[in-house]
Amino acid sequence: MAIASPSLRPLHKSLFPKYPCLSQCSRFRPSLHFSSQPLRFTVRASSAVALEPDLSSQRNQTVDTDLFSCPVCYEPLIRKGPSGLNLEAIYRSGFKCKKCNKSYSSKDVYLDLTITAGLRDYTEVKPVGTELFRSPFVSFVYERGWRQNFNRSGFPGPDEEFRMAQEYFKPAEGGILVDVSCGSGLFSRKFAKSGTYSGVIALDFSENMLRQCNDFIEQDASLLASNIALVRADVSRLPFSSGSIDAVHAGAALHCWPSTSNAVAEISRILRSGGVFVGSTFLRYSSTTPWIVRPFRERILQNYNYLTEEEIEDVCTSCGLTNFTKKVQQSFIMFSAQKP
């Protein structure tokens, strides 16, 4: 595992005018002796709430209402540990829901905020499409050949997709971005390195995708010093308070979701007024696909939930999003919608 250099530069204040507290962090120190003044991350939630006295008495530990919310009841979680939206701070913190009393903690390299987190006897089996991406092999090859094949369907390539997404996200600059169904973090890392956002949350249901994302982050010292967190969660039960997130990205993801409408409704719920949702996916067919070919494409593409342009716009609109715009090339679509 690569270790970050202790000479990394701290994040510059001018990058985060909307969240000034994030620019006051001390340097990232990936050793066993941590700074006595951890990164403070203040969220528009409520005032600090203490847990049990024995939990709040440890030196250099804080107990605050956090950005994350309980996936069971959506109450903001109470956080014990160093504040901050970075791998070190998240790993050293514990999270607890004051309402339902459920606890959450970092597991391996990510924070597990699924409803099934911590269960001993009950397990859930997801659809085949979801389980496929939980495979260690698929997680390993995703950026080593798998993703590159998307250009056959019209995907313009990660660099151009990132540039297109950044254009859509201009209204959300300086805010918190959640990259749902992030996979191995291809775009999460790009968003974090851009310095455009005060924090980036790489979120996926696959444990192995998140581990792979962490491996890539450890190979880049600048990412280790950035405000990026890895979270395991279900896109149909996002662990954030309503109206708390500025931007949501879902790259090549919609066709993998068991219920697109449930997922988009959740994304709409967590977006603040003016927040932006940007997604890309494969189309079942586009407006330029010949009518004679469409039935064959529908038969071939039955394993995933491929939609049409009209269906994507319809589900976004029905979930309360407005200003729907799109760019289509062959079977590729990138779209944007905004929370009014």
Side-chain angles (χ1 to χ4, degrees), residues 42-49 64-66 75-78 98 241:
T42 303
V43 183
R44 302 183 298 265
S46 60
S47 58
V49 180
D64 298 305
T65 303
D66 204 70
E75 284 291 310
L77 295 177
I78 307 304
K98 184 181 179 182
S241 299

Side-chain angles (χ1 to χ4, degrees), residues 36 38 51-63 80-82 92-94:
S36 62
L51 294 177
E52 296 77 13
D54 60 317
L55 293 179
S56 60
S57 60
Q58 299 182 24
R59 187 179 180 182
N60 298 333
Q61 297 288 303
T62 59
V63 181
K80 172 185 173 290
R92 296 172 57 209
S93 297

Side-chain angles (χ1 to χ4, degrees), residues 21-180:
C21 55
L22 285 178
S23 65
Q24 299 172 5
C25 61
S26 59
R27 292 187 179 184
F28 182 82
R29 306 175 193 273
S31 64
L32 294 178
H33 302 284
F34 298 103
S35 169
S36 62
Q37 294 183 354
L39 174 66
R40 301 292 299 164
F41 184 76
T42 303
V43 183
R44 302 183 298 265
S46 60
S47 58
V49 180
L51 294 177
E52 296 77 13
D54 60 317
L55 293 179
S56 60
S57 60
Q58 299 182 24
R59 187 179 180 182
N60 298 333
Q61 297 288 303
T62 59
V63 181
D64 298 305
T65 303
D66 204 70
L67 167 70
F68 303 112
S69 292
C70 175
V72 176
C73 59
Y74 292 137
E75 284 291 310
L77 295 177
I78 307 304
R79 175 174 182 172
K80 172 185 173 290
S83 299
L85 197 64
N86 57 71
L87 298 181
E88 177 194 6
I90 296 294
Y91 183 76
R92 296 172 57 209
S93 297
F95 299 82
K96 186 174 183 179
C97 178
K98 184 181 179 182
K99 185 174 182 179
C100 68
N101 208 37
K102 184 167 182 176
S103 297
Y104 304 88
S105 62
S106 295
K107 185 177 181 180
D108 295 330
V109 297
Y110 57 84
L111 174 61
D112 194 341
L113 292 179
T114 59
I115 293 179
T116 56
L119 297 185
R120 293 175 299 176
D121 302 319
Y122 174 77
T123 58
E124 285 185 338
V125 178
K126 294 291 184 178
V128 175
T130 301
E131 292 298 304
L132 174 66
F133 290 98
R134 298 177 71 184
S135 159
F137 174 75
V138 173
S139 301
F140 180 81
V141 301
Y142 187 76
E143 289 188 42
R144 299 176 174 91
W146 184 300
R147 189 57 165 75
Q148 288 80 347
N149 288 323
F150 288 10
N151 60 5
R152 298 179 180 178
S153 297
F155 278 68
D159 290 340
E160 178 61 15
E161 292 171 52
F162 172 70
R163 187 198 65 77
M164 293 167 63
Q166 285 287 75
E167 286 293 319
Y168 284 134
F169 279 136
K170 282 189 179 297
E173 289 182 357
I176 299 293
L177 181 145
V178 178
D179 188 16
V180 299

Side-chain angles (χ1 to χ4, degrees), residues 42-333:
T42 303
V43 183
R44 302 183 298 265
S46 60
S47 58
V49 180
L51 294 177
E52 296 77 13
D54 60 317
L55 293 179
S56 60
S57 60
Q58 299 182 24
R59 187 179 180 182
N60 298 333
Q61 297 288 303
T62 59
V63 181
D64 298 305
T65 303
D66 204 70
L67 167 70
F68 303 112
S69 292
C70 175
V72 176
C73 59
Y74 292 137
E75 284 291 310
L77 295 177
I78 307 304
R79 175 174 182 172
K80 172 185 173 290
S83 299
L85 197 64
N86 57 71
L87 298 181
E88 177 194 6
I90 296 294
Y91 183 76
R92 296 172 57 209
S93 297
F95 299 82
K96 186 174 183 179
C97 178
K98 184 181 179 182
K99 185 174 182 179
C100 68
N101 208 37
K102 184 167 182 176
S103 297
Y104 304 88
S105 62
S106 295
K107 185 177 181 180
D108 295 330
V109 297
Y110 57 84
L111 174 61
D112 194 341
L113 292 179
T114 59
I115 293 179
T116 56
L119 297 185
R120 293 175 299 176
D121 302 319
Y122 174 77
T123 58
E124 285 185 338
V125 178
K126 294 291 184 178
V128 175
T130 301
E131 292 298 304
L132 174 66
F133 290 98
R134 298 177 71 184
S135 159
F137 174 75
V138 173
S139 301
F140 180 81
V141 301
Y142 187 76
E143 289 188 42
R144 299 176 174 91
W146 184 300
R147 189 57 165 75
Q148 288 80 347
N149 288 323
F150 288 10
N151 60 5
R152 298 179 180 178
S153 297
F155 278 68
D159 290 340
E160 178 61 15
E161 292 171 52
F162 172 70
R163 187 198 65 77
M164 293 167 63
Q166 285 287 75
E167 286 293 319
Y168 284 134
F169 279 136
K170 282 189 179 297
E173 289 182 357
I176 299 293
L177 181 145
V178 178
D179 188 16
V180 299
S181 299
C182 68
S184 56
L186 175 62
F187 290 99
S188 305
R189 305 193 308 272
K190 288 180 179 291
F191 289 128
K193 291 189 71 171
S194 72
T196 309
Y197 310 96
S198 55
V200 173
I201 299 172
L203 183 149
D204 203 279
F205 188 76
S206 169
E207 306 92 325
N208 286 302
M209 282 292 191
L210 292 171
R211 294 188 185 108
Q212 184 62 69
C213 180
N214 183 72
D215 288 344
F216 284 128
I217 290 173
E218 289 188 332
Q219 297 169 21
D220 191 330
S222 63
L223 280 170
L224 281 171
S226 66
N227 286 325
I228 185 171
L230 306 184
V231 174
R232 182 175 182 243
D234 190 334
V235 70
S236 65
R237 200 77 183 177
L238 293 172
F240 307 101
S241 299
S242 299
S244 63
I245 302 299
D246 301 277
V248 175
H249 176 260
L254 272 72
H255 57 282
C256 298
W257 295 344
S259 172
T260 305
S261 58
N262 284 353
V264 175
E266 272 292 271
I267 290 170
S268 178
R269 179 187 65 80
I270 68 172
L271 281 174
R272 65 167 176 81
S273 178
V276 182
F277 170 40
V278 175
S280 64
T281 188
F282 296 91
L283 292 171
R284 187 160 73 245
Y285 51 77
S286 69
S287 56
T288 60
T289 304
W291 285 96
I292 195 172
V293 177
R294 296 185 182 187
F296 295 99
R297 285 190 59 83
E298 290 182 341
R299 184 180 297 272
I300 294 172
L301 303 176
Q302 287 181 343
N303 291 333
Y304 290 98
N305 189 25
Y306 294 104
L307 304 177
T308 64
E309 303 169 45
E310 295 77 14
E311 288 172 332
I312 295 173
E313 181 175 4
D314 191 29
V315 72
C316 286
T317 302
S318 68
C319 291
L321 301 175
T322 60
N323 298 330
F324 184 89
T325 59
K326 63 186 178 183
K327 296 178 182 178
V328 178
Q329 181 176 321
Q330 297 179 27
S331 297
F332 161 80
I333 182 173

